[in-house]
Amino acid sequence: MGRKGLIFLALLAAGLTAAYVIQQDGSRPQPQPPSASRELWLPELQGESAAVTALDVRLPGQPDLQLVRKDGVWVLPAKADYPAAGQPVAALLRALTEARKVEAKTANPELHGRVGLADKGSVEEQGTRITLERGSEAPLDLLVGKPAQQGKGQLVRRYGDNQVWLVDQAMPMPQTELNWLDRRVIEIPFASVRQVEVVYPNGSRLTVYRDSAEEPNLKLKQLPKGRRLAYEAAANGMATLFAGLEFADNAPLAQVQFKGKPMLAFSLSTFDGGELRGEVYGQGEQPWLVLKDRQKLSNDQVPGKLDWAYRLEPFHYQALAKRLEDVLAAK
């Protein structure tokens, strides 16, 4: 082979090598800038989330929902200012405050529906609209769309601005009014419970108790001679119910008209002198709890309010509404 042929082959080999290197380099994931160096999506919120006074959330196809900060507590005006759960509100405000731009996406309004950020259209096409009121400052009007296809993040845009951004924060939002509410009614740990008594309209009662907090199981005061509990912990459910009781719905007591006598009345006492009394009514084939009185129990132990009624899940009512034969072993 002549000199010119050798030179040609050498150049060809060098070109192929360069092409391979370029192809391989281009196929590698490109490093993203560190999160701290990315631009904030909402710089107006930096250090100012405490100044947010109201939060409007409009999920596609659902009624508008408003939360308002009153005396440092988030409440729902549509629920007679019942307190909101702290965690969902804090998580959303934190995500909005910390969100940083990862990548600019489409600015074409005709494509907004594909990423769940359209102003109008089907439920799947529309974005969740969030409006943050900030006192005398201009409100922040935002749209939240679909989550990132890979990794953590969300597609978002400002209302009235066609530019869509992928941000590095997911925007956590409850999908129903119920899950925005502070649903806690009673949180008395089982270890604190000394006695629970249930009284029915016919005068019959069931009392479970223990003499010391060291006893692992409750005993039955009305235990007939020659009978025993179905199993050692058969009566415990009447007390463990109160360790984390949450409502399925609620309403101001003044708005609820219960008819007739309660299905049962109960009392609970703790080893440190706490006392709680309540009643359960039937309304629309659903059990509703009304707290009648509490003594020496903190707001953390009884977050529920005496002037509200709370709808219980049927299984919660069944855990409390025990009859004698429900906890005894078969004869």
Side-chain angles (χ1 to χ4, degrees):
M1 180 181 296
R3 183 179 178 185
K4 290 182 179 180
L6 291 172
I7 293 173
F8 173 76
L9 288 175
L11 291 173
L12 179 62
L16 290 173
T17 300
Y20 174 79
V21 170
I22 292 171
Q23 182 180 12
Q24 290 297 105
D25 186 65
S27 66
R28 296 190 188 102
Q30 296 301 307
Q32 294 291 332
S35 177
S37 66
R38 294 174 183 158
E39 182 183 356
L40 286 166
W41 179 47
L42 301 172
E44 307 97 313
L45 277 183
Q46 189 70 7
E48 297 294 331
S49 61
V52 177
T53 56
L55 185 65
D56 294 332
V57 180
R58 279 154 277 187
L59 283 86
Q62 295 192 29
D64 293 354
L65 183 141
Q66 184 185 47
L67 299 100
V68 175
R69 196 196 299 262
K70 289 189 176 181
D71 299 323
V73 177
W74 285 97
V75 300
L76 279 74
K79 273 287 188 180
D81 285 351
Y82 201 85
Q87 193 278 333
V89 179
L92 177 57
L93 288 177
R94 182 171 58 251
L96 290 169
T97 301
E98 296 178 358
R100 292 179 179 272
K101 298 176 180 178
V102 175
E103 184 180 356
K105 297 296 185 178
T106 182
N108 184 350
E110 295 181 1
L111 301 180
H112 285 169
R114 298 185 184 182
V115 292
L117 282 169
D119 295 340
K120 300 178 181 179
S122 68
V123 170
E124 292 76 18
E125 293 175 328
Q126 292 182 58
T128 296
R129 188 170 172 180
I130 302 173
T131 303
L132 283 76
E133 302 285 347
R134 301 180 297 150
S136 60
E137 298 291 333
L140 289 177
D141 217 352
L142 317 169
L143 284 170
V144 175
K146 293 182 178 181
Q149 291 184 341
Q150 294 181 346
K152 179 183 176 183
Q154 198 102 27
L155 293 167
V156 297
R157 70 181 178 93
R158 293 180 183 244
Y159 189 79
D161 183 352
N162 290 330
Q163 180 62 60
V164 174
W165 289 95
L166 171 64
V167 296
D168 62 358
Q169 298 288 319
M171 302 297 163
M173 277 180 291
Q175 296 299 297
T176 65
E177 178 187 72
L178 177 65
N179 290 325
W180 282 100
L181 291 167
D182 183 353
R183 295 173 57 193
R184 299 172 302 146
V185 182
I186 305 170
E187 291 193 336
I188 299 176
F190 175 74
S192 302
V193 177
R194 182 179 65 83
Q195 177 176 296
V196 176
E197 183 171 71
V198 174
V199 181
Y200 295 94
N202 63 3
S204 66
R205 64 185 60 217
L206 197 68
T207 310
V208 296
Y209 72 102
R210 55 186 166 180
D211 298 313
S212 71
E214 286 69 36
E215 294 181 52
N217 299 310
L218 297 174
K219 298 175 287 188
L220 178 61
K221 184 170 288 188
Q222 295 85 4
L223 184 66
K225 186 176 181 179
R227 301 291 299 276
R228 59 184 175 83
L229 292 176
Y231 52 94
E232 288 185 355
N236 289 1
M238 295 176 65
T240 56
L241 162 73
F242 296 105
L245 183 61
E246 295 186 343
F247 62 77
D249 196 2
N250 67 341
L253 190 56
Q255 296 179 11
V256 184
Q257 300 297 322
F258 293 119
K259 298 178 181 179
K261 295 180 178 180
M263 295 189 291
L264 62 81
F266 72 88
S267 62
L268 178 150
S269 60
T270 66
F271 285 105
D272 56 2
E275 298 283 344
L276 179 67
R277 294 189 304 107
E279 296 174 341
V280 179
Y281 291 82
Q283 183 89 319
E285 299 184 354
Q286 297 289 335
W288 284 79
L289 168 68
V290 176
L291 299 175
K292 303 298 291 185
D293 185 40
R294 77 177 198 190
Q295 300 292 331
K296 296 183 180 180
L297 293 169
S298 68
N299 291 336
D300 289 333
Q301 291 172 300
V302 186
K305 302 176 181 299
L306 301 185
D307 54 351
W308 280 73
Y310 300 100
R311 182 167 68 82
L312 303 180
E313 297 288 0
F315 67 88
H316 284 147
Y317 173 70
Q318 292 159 9
L320 179 63
K322 296 297 185 186
R323 305 278 182 170
L324 188 59
E325 291 300 323
D326 293 334
V327 296
L328 293 179
K331 292 183 179 179

